[in-house]
Amino acid sequence: MTVEKNVEITNETGLHARPASKFVQKAGTFKSDVTIIYGEKEVNAKSIMGVLSLGVSQGNEIIIKCKGEDAETALEELVNFLHEQMAEE
């Protein structure tokens, strides 16, 4: 199963350094493949170097795509993570 959702990045620093690290750790807790799509780039969301290479800033929109047995749960929890925990950063 593959699911995806567009998400706007709302925290001040975007998806950089500490927030990116926390997101990668969270993505790593799922069995599914997790991908972030930003513009023309598509990276493994479990790779800190991949996520940082995107250079996502506040106000940018990304697509989170999850494929695998826990894809729906992964997508829901990662979107909530971006909206709730990262908004507090």
Side-chain angles (χ1 to χ4, degrees):
M1 170 182 287
T2 302
V3 291
E4 62 181 58
K5 185 168 185 159
N6 290 18
V7 182
E8 183 179 345
I9 302 302
T10 56
N11 69 312
E12 280 184 30
T13 59
L15 206 48
H16 299 284
R18 201 160 142 240
S21 176
K22 288 183 176 183
F23 184 83
V24 168
Q25 286 177 347
K26 181 77 173 169
T29 65
F30 301 103
K31 293 179 183 175
S32 293
D33 293 329
V34 182
T35 307
I36 296 176
I37 303 166
Y38 177 61
E40 300 296 311
K41 295 181 185 174
E42 186 168 334
V43 301
N44 179 351
K46 297 179 183 182
S47 163
I48 187 66
M49 295 310 290
V51 174
L52 290 175
S53 75
L54 294 174
V56 179
S57 300
Q58 182 182 29
N60 292 150
E61 191 170 273
I62 62 171
I63 298 170
I64 300 174
K65 183 165 72 172
C66 302
K67 180 179 181 180
E69 62 186 85
D70 58 355
E72 288 180 330
T73 302
L75 182 64
E76 182 181 328
E77 289 191 24
L78 290 168
V79 168
N80 286 341
F81 179 80
L82 287 174
H83 285 155
E84 293 168 18
Q85 276 122 333
M86 283 189 55
E88 297 167 6
E89 288 290 319

